[in-house]
Amino acid sequence: MTAMRVRTPAIEGVREFTPQVFGDDRGCFASPFQESAFTQAVGRPLFPVRDISHNISARGVLRGIHYTAAPPGRAKYVYCPYGRVLDFLVDLRVGSPTFGRHQTTELSGGDCRALYIPVGVGHAFLSRQDDSIVVYVMSEGYVPEAELAVSPLDPALGLPLPEGGDLRQSPRDGAAPTLAEARDKGLLPDYDTCREVEAALWP
């Protein structure tokens, strides 16, 4: 088993995993997920996997902030095997001790760093290189009506996005509400409910 460096960031429940990367003139090899390291860090194995997806993004594409209503809720394990992205996590769980807090992490094919994202924590990223790939390992399948978004451009969140940059968003993301608007409309998940949903992922 290769070495894995684990960090506990500022958002409650999030874990960051950085594996050892082996490279030579042929390319590189890494193990972005290692069950023993995950179990030791989180206190239980990874959730039963229901869905694995990925996207490919051109430089300047901004995706998110996406989250899933709870229930059903979705926990995620995310990494970038190729390219380079600036990844953002935002705690959207009303009642969480870290509600509204964000963290920024660079993910790339060079370091194969991965993030465990608990139920109710929003995810976004800015692609900093053409053809950047982000892989999502998820605890639940896709339910369109449960998938929601908050604007990454909300000044109250203060995400470190480049000023005056030509950011490319989907129409859905461009029309997403601010954090305050989403909260006022009752769209944000409840912290205790998210924890209950997440605990139920393990049979």
Side-chain angles (χ1 to χ4, degrees):
M1 184 63 67
T2 60
M4 178 76 85
R5 189 169 69 251
V6 182
R7 190 173 75 91
T8 302
I11 296 178
E12 194 272 331
V14 173
R15 295 291 187 278
E16 178 186 295
F17 299 89
T18 305
Q20 187 174 0
V21 178
F22 301 90
D24 57 27
D25 58 359
R26 300 169 299 163
C28 70
F29 173 86
S31 297
F33 173 76
Q34 298 170 30
E35 185 176 35
S36 60
F38 185 92
T39 300
Q40 185 174 1
V42 179
R44 54 195 173 195
L46 185 68
F47 47 74
V49 175
R50 308 294 186 204
D51 196 305
I52 299 177
S53 305
H54 73 264
N55 54 43
I56 303 174
S57 300
R59 179 182 173 90
V61 168
L62 177 61
R63 298 184 187 266
I65 304 165
H66 299 153
Y67 66 102
T68 305
R74 289 209 287 183
K76 303 175 182 178
Y77 194 84
V78 173
Y79 66 97
C80 173
Y82 179 82
R84 188 163 59 99
V85 305
L86 197 60
D87 192 277
F88 307 106
L89 300 183
V90 181
D91 193 344
L92 303 177
R93 301 166 296 182
V94 177
S96 165
T98 54
F99 174 75
R101 188 175 299 175
H102 76 267
Q103 76 170 59
T104 304
T105 309
E106 184 168 285
L107 305 181
S108 76
D111 58 34
C112 295
R113 184 173 294 120
L115 295 167
Y116 173 69
I117 308 173
V119 173
V121 172
H123 178 251
F125 71 83
L126 172 63
S127 176
R128 306 182 83 172
Q129 178 181 320
D130 282 338
D131 299 324
S132 292
I133 299 173
V134 175
V135 176
Y136 305 80
V137 180
M138 293 177 282
S139 64
E140 298 292 340
Y142 179 68
V143 180
E145 58 270 22
E147 294 302 314
L148 303 171
V150 167
S151 175
L153 304 179
D154 180 358
L157 293 176
L159 300 188
L161 294 166
E163 295 184 8
D166 185 19
L167 302 178
R168 296 164 61 184
Q169 292 180 279
S170 70
R172 170 201 173 202
D173 288 350
T178 65
L179 182 67
E181 290 169 342
R183 185 172 188 174
D184 289 345
K185 294 177 181 178
L187 297 175
L188 298 181
D190 172 74
Y191 175 65
D192 289 335
T193 301
C194 288
R195 287 175 60 86
E196 291 170 4
V197 167
E198 190 163 357
L201 296 176
W202 288 266

